[in-house]
Tab-separated table of all heavy atoms in Angstrom:
chain	number	residue	atom	x	y	z
A	283	LEU	N	-214.818	-42.433	21.584
A	283	LEU	CA	-213.499	-42.984	21.905
A	283	LEU	C	-213.553	-44.494	22.146
A	283	LEU	O	-212.592	-45.225	21.916
A	283	LEU	CB	-213.028	-42.307	23.198
A	283	LEU	CG	-211.543	-42.201	23.470
A	283	LEU	CD1	-210.942	-41.243	22.461
A	283	LEU	CD2	-211.311	-41.662	24.875
A	284	LYS	N	-214.724	-44.900	22.607
A	284	LYS	CA	-214.943	-46.287	22.995
A	284	LYS	C	-214.410	-47.299	21.986
A	284	LYS	O	-213.771	-48.280	22.323
A	284	LYS	CB	-216.455	-46.438	23.153
A	284	LYS	CG	-216.924	-47.780	23.476
A	284	LYS	CD	-218.417	-47.760	23.679
A	284	LYS	CE	-218.819	-49.161	23.993
A	284	LYS	NZ	-219.880	-49.710	23.351
A	285	GLU	N	-214.648	-46.992	20.692
A	285	GLU	CA	-214.245	-47.907	19.621
A	285	GLU	C	-212.733	-48.031	19.500
A	285	GLU	O	-212.221	-49.000	18.965
A	285	GLU	CB	-214.783	-47.398	18.287
A	285	GLU	CG	-216.271	-47.474	18.159
A	285	GLU	CD	-216.753	-48.906	18.128
A	285	GLU	OE1	-216.279	-49.655	17.276
A	285	GLU	OE2	-217.594	-49.273	18.974
A	286	THR	N	-212.018	-46.979	19.948
A	286	THR	CA	-210.575	-46.989	19.723
A	286	THR	C	-209.807	-47.505	20.934
A	286	THR	O	-208.602	-47.673	20.876
A	286	THR	CB	-210.077	-45.564	19.415
A	286	THR	OG1	-210.306	-44.764	20.596
A	286	THR	CG2	-210.807	-44.938	18.252
A	287	LEU	N	-210.506	-47.711	22.042
A	287	LEU	CA	-209.809	-48.167	23.241
A	287	LEU	C	-209.391	-49.618	23.081
A	287	LEU	O	-210.050	-50.365	22.375
A	287	LEU	CB	-210.734	-48.083	24.459
A	287	LEU	CG	-211.173	-46.699	24.885
A	287	LEU	CD1	-212.176	-46.803	26.023
A	287	LEU	CD2	-209.974	-45.874	25.318
A	288	ASP	N	-208.323	-49.999	23.778
A	288	ASP	CA	-207.960	-51.407	23.623
A	288	ASP	C	-208.542	-52.267	24.748
A	288	ASP	O	-208.129	-53.381	24.969
A	288	ASP	CB	-206.461	-51.610	23.390
A	288	ASP	CG	-205.629	-51.275	24.588
A	288	ASP	OD1	-206.239	-50.952	25.618
A	288	ASP	OD2	-204.390	-51.358	24.512
A	289	TYR	N	-209.532	-51.726	25.467
A	289	TYR	CA	-210.256	-52.553	26.424
A	289	TYR	C	-211.746	-52.251	26.321
A	289	TYR	O	-212.130	-51.215	25.776
A	289	TYR	CB	-209.749	-52.339	27.856
A	289	TYR	CG	-209.640	-50.896	28.288
A	289	TYR	CD1	-210.735	-50.227	28.804
A	289	TYR	CD2	-208.434	-50.201	28.168
A	289	TYR	CE1	-210.638	-48.908	29.206
A	289	TYR	CE2	-208.326	-48.884	28.571
A	289	TYR	CZ	-209.427	-48.241	29.090
A	289	TYR	OH	-209.339	-46.926	29.475
A	290	GLU	N	-212.555	-53.187	26.834
A	290	GLU	CA	-214.006	-53.019	26.698
A	290	GLU	C	-214.561	-52.113	27.776
A	290	GLU	O	-214.233	-52.282	28.954
A	290	GLU	CB	-214.684	-54.380	26.843
A	290	GLU	CG	-214.533	-55.249	25.645
A	290	GLU	CD	-215.527	-56.401	25.659
A	290	GLU	OE1	-215.466	-57.219	26.583
A	290	GLU	OE2	-216.340	-56.461	24.727
A	291	ILE	N	-215.394	-51.152	27.390
A	291	ILE	CA	-216.140	-50.402	28.404
A	291	ILE	C	-217.605	-50.432	27.992
A	291	ILE	O	-217.919	-50.496	26.808
A	291	ILE	CB	-215.653	-48.939	28.562
A	291	ILE	CG1	-215.893	-48.091	27.305
A	291	ILE	CG2	-214.190	-48.896	28.932
A	291	ILE	CD1	-215.628	-46.605	27.537
A	292	ASP	N	-218.498	-50.434	28.983
A	292	ASP	CA	-219.913	-50.435	28.603
A	292	ASP	C	-220.574	-49.129	29.000
A	292	ASP	O	-221.780	-48.991	28.987
A	292	ASP	CB	-220.655	-51.645	29.185
A	292	ASP	CG	-220.551	-51.720	30.688
A	292	ASP	OD1	-219.752	-50.961	31.267
A	292	ASP	OD2	-221.266	-52.531	31.300
A	293	GLY	N	-219.767	-48.142	29.368
A	293	GLY	CA	-220.305	-46.843	29.728
A	293	GLY	C	-219.241	-46.041	30.431
A	293	GLY	O	-218.050	-46.387	30.357
A	294	VAL	N	-219.671	-44.968	31.104
A	294	VAL	CA	-218.720	-44.202	31.916
A	294	VAL	C	-219.308	-44.041	33.304
A	294	VAL	O	-220.527	-44.171	33.494
A	294	VAL	CB	-218.427	-42.810	31.318
A	294	VAL	CG1	-217.609	-42.908	30.057
A	294	VAL	CG2	-219.704	-42.037	31.087
A	295	VAL	N	-218.439	-43.758	34.275
A	295	VAL	CA	-218.928	-43.521	35.630
A	295	VAL	C	-218.751	-42.042	35.936
A	295	VAL	O	-217.666	-41.490	35.739
A	295	VAL	CB	-218.153	-44.380	36.654
A	295	VAL	CG1	-218.777	-44.211	38.031
A	295	VAL	CG2	-218.163	-45.844	36.251
A	296	ILE	N	-219.851	-41.420	36.377
A	296	ILE	CA	-219.801	-39.996	36.717
A	296	ILE	C	-219.832	-39.909	38.230
A	296	ILE	O	-220.726	-40.483	38.873
A	296	ILE	CB	-221.014	-39.258	36.100
A	296	ILE	CG1	-220.987	-39.467	34.582
A	296	ILE	CG2	-221.003	-37.782	36.451
A	296	ILE	CD1	-222.316	-39.251	33.935
A	297	LYS	N	-218.843	-39.232	38.798
A	297	LYS	CA	-218.748	-39.188	40.262
A	297	LYS	C	-218.683	-37.744	40.728
A	297	LYS	O	-217.959	-36.930	40.120
A	297	LYS	CB	-217.478	-39.921	40.725
A	297	LYS	CG	-217.451	-41.386	40.340
A	297	LYS	CD	-216.157	-42.065	40.736
A	297	LYS	CE	-216.177	-43.537	40.293
A	297	LYS	NZ	-214.888	-44.197	40.436
A	298	ILE	N	-219.415	-37.421	41.792
A	298	ILE	CA	-219.283	-36.102	42.421
A	298	ILE	C	-217.835	-36.006	42.890
A	298	ILE	O	-217.341	-36.906	43.574
A	298	ILE	CB	-220.224	-35.992	43.643
A	298	ILE	CG1	-221.676	-36.079	43.191
A	298	ILE	CG2	-219.912	-34.783	44.493
A	298	ILE	CD1	-222.367	-34.780	42.967
A	299	ASN	N	-217.167	-34.930	42.504
A	299	ASN	CA	-215.730	-34.873	42.786
A	299	ASN	C	-215.432	-34.712	44.285
A	299	ASN	O	-214.515	-35.327	44.805
A	299	ASN	CB	-215.114	-33.724	41.987
A	299	ASN	CG	-213.608	-33.805	41.960
A	299	ASN	OD1	-213.041	-34.901	41.968
A	299	ASN	ND2	-212.956	-32.661	41.949
A	300	ASP	N	-216.261	-33.907	44.956
A	300	ASP	CA	-216.035	-33.645	46.382
A	300	ASP	C	-216.477	-34.880	47.187
A	300	ASP	O	-217.666	-35.159	47.315
A	300	ASP	CB	-216.859	-32.398	46.761
A	300	ASP	CG	-216.748	-32.059	48.235
A	300	ASP	OD1	-216.317	-32.920	49.024
A	300	ASP	OD2	-217.104	-30.922	48.590
A	301	LEU	N	-215.520	-35.623	47.722
A	301	LEU	CA	-215.858	-36.913	48.334
A	301	LEU	C	-216.630	-36.759	49.642
A	301	LEU	O	-217.429	-37.625	50.006
A	301	LEU	CB	-214.589	-37.751	48.543
A	301	LEU	CG	-213.896	-38.183	47.244
A	301	LEU	CD1	-212.604	-38.934	47.538
A	301	LEU	CD2	-214.812	-39.055	46.388
A	302	GLU	N	-216.429	-35.617	50.314
A	302	GLU	CA	-217.182	-35.389	51.556
A	302	GLU	C	-218.654	-35.175	51.203
A	302	GLU	O	-219.556	-35.763	51.803
A	302	GLU	CB	-216.577	-34.183	52.298
A	302	GLU	CG	-217.107	-33.955	53.698
A	302	GLU	CD	-218.324	-33.022	53.728
A	302	GLU	OE1	-218.355	-32.036	52.945
A	302	GLU	OE2	-219.251	-33.296	54.501
A	303	LEU	N	-218.898	-34.372	50.153
A	303	LEU	CA	-220.278	-34.133	49.700
A	303	LEU	C	-220.897	-35.468	49.239
A	303	LEU	O	-222.041	-35.789	49.588
A	303	LEU	CB	-220.278	-33.108	48.560
A	303	LEU	CG	-221.573	-32.928	47.772
A	303	LEU	CD1	-222.734	-32.547	48.690
A	303	LEU	CD2	-221.412	-31.863	46.676
A	304	ALA	N	-220.117	-36.243	48.498
A	304	ALA	CA	-220.625	-37.533	48.005
A	304	ALA	C	-221.054	-38.416	49.174
A	304	ALA	O	-222.105	-39.050	49.137
A	304	ALA	CB	-219.564	-38.229	47.164
A	305	GLU	N	-220.250	-38.411	50.224
A	305	GLU	CA	-220.578	-39.263	51.362
A	305	GLU	C	-221.834	-38.776	52.085
A	305	GLU	O	-222.684	-39.573	52.477
A	305	GLU	CB	-219.389	-39.312	52.322
A	305	GLU	CG	-219.433	-40.593	53.125
A	305	GLU	CD	-218.281	-40.703	54.100
A	305	GLU	OE1	-217.162	-40.303	53.733
A	305	GLU	OE2	-218.536	-41.176	55.225
A	306	THR	N	-221.982	-37.439	52.204
A	306	THR	CA	-223.174	-36.878	52.854
A	306	THR	C	-224.445	-37.306	52.136
A	306	THR	O	-225.500	-37.450	52.747
A	306	THR	CB	-223.127	-35.326	52.818
A	306	THR	OG1	-221.791	-34.904	52.912
A	306	THR	CG2	-223.979	-34.697	53.896
Side-chain angles (χ1 to χ4, degrees):
L283 206 68
K284 177 177 180 227
E285 292 293 305
T286 64
L287 295 175
D288 68 4
Y289 49 85
E290 285 196 298
I291 65 171
D292 57 350
V294 289
V295 186
I296 302 159
K297 299 177 181 170
I298 296 265
N299 194 33
D300 178 343
L301 294 177
E302 189 269 322
L303 168 57
E305 205 180 321
T306 327

